[in-house]
Amino acid sequence: MDGPAPGGRPPAARRGLTPAARTALAASAAFALLTLWVILAAPGPLPFDTGPHAWSLAHRPPAALDVALAVTATGTGVWPYALVVLAGLYAGRTTRERIAAAAGLALCLALGQGVRRALMELVARPRPPAADWATHAADWSFPSGHATTGALTAGLLLAALALHGPLGPAGTAGAALTVLWGAAVGLTRVYLGVHWPSDVLGGWLLATAWLAGALLVHRSYRRGPAAGTPDPSGGSGPDRP
């Protein structure tokens, strides 16, 4: 076991930022820069928005539209909350753990949604022209609500899989499908013409920053208020992942 660092600092203080902290900082910085760019370019699209938007308008066969509408419907309303609650119930091993996990995941999603809504009102970016829409849409455009919700939900489902235990072949396949679903929800918003690609990118960056921050809070809680505080599941807090 490592001894204390010079000056009395614990070993953890010498290791620098954790991957979760680096991810949170990088995603937050990227989101802030993208948001500033969107504000400065308002009310028009960014340079990389117009190409994918035009492609979507030119490639809308009925079957593809039906698939896009079905996928996009799963990224809003009760579906994301139902998914994370079920995932929380799956993650726990006891009744208490299941309830705590389900409540924690649902709370994380709800708070992330609240932040997204506040940012959407603050930026107040107009959507693409209504004539280009293939589905109904409301509120402002940046960041995309569906993209944020899909990415948040996918990340929380992955967290539940990790909490349950090591991933076997079925778990790995489920994780891959979860990531694909989360990405597809965001992409359908561009395909259906109700969001610019930068709206979706903003939603993904916001969700990444939020999830990484939530992971930091979770790990801090598990470690306890002081270095070396015993973890409820055994072992020393700072040494746990």
Side-chain angles (χ1 to χ4, degrees):
M1 180 179 295
D2 294 336
R9 289 187 304 164
R14 303 197 308 264
R15 292 199 290 262
L17 295 176
T18 63
R22 289 195 293 269
T23 299
L25 287 173
S28 297
F31 177 76
L33 290 173
L34 179 61
T35 302
L36 179 61
W37 193 5
V38 166
I39 292 172
L40 293 175
L46 301 185
F48 64 87
D49 284 332
T50 53
H53 182 76
W55 184 92
S56 298
L57 295 179
H59 297 82
R60 285 181 176 173
L65 274 179
D66 288 343
V67 171
L69 289 169
V71 172
T72 209
T74 64
T76 189
V78 70
W79 290 106
Y81 288 95
L83 287 173
V84 298
V85 167
L86 290 174
L89 296 177
Y90 170 78
R93 289 179 172 81
T94 66
T95 300
R96 182 176 180 179
E97 287 180 352
R98 293 187 184 103
I99 294 174
L105 294 180
L107 178 63
C108 184
L109 177 58
L111 292 176
Q113 292 277 47
V115 171
R116 187 267 303 170
R117 288 182 182 276
L119 289 168
M120 184 177 281
E121 292 293 330
L122 180 65
V123 176
R125 185 190 199 186
R127 290 181 181 270
D132 298 342
W133 298 3
T135 187
H136 172 73
D139 299 322
W140 299 107
S141 192
F142 181 92
S144 165
H146 280 71
T148 307
T149 303
L152 284 174
T153 304
L156 294 172
L157 295 181
L158 294 177
L161 288 174
L163 286 171
H164 184 75
L167 295 181
T172 301
L177 289 174
T178 297
V179 172
L180 289 174
W181 168 79
V185 168
L187 293 175
T188 60
R189 306 309 286 171
V190 177
Y191 186 73
L192 295 171
V194 293
H195 277 292
W196 300 112
S198 52
D199 298 330
V200 173
L201 177 59
W204 288 343
L205 289 173
L206 176 60
T208 301
W210 185 259
L211 290 169
L215 179 58
L216 290 173
V217 171
H218 172 72
R219 287 177 173 174
S220 177
Y221 171 78
R222 291 291 298 272
R223 288 183 181 125
T229 299
D231 188 270
S233 57
S236 174
D239 293 331
R240 292 180 60 79

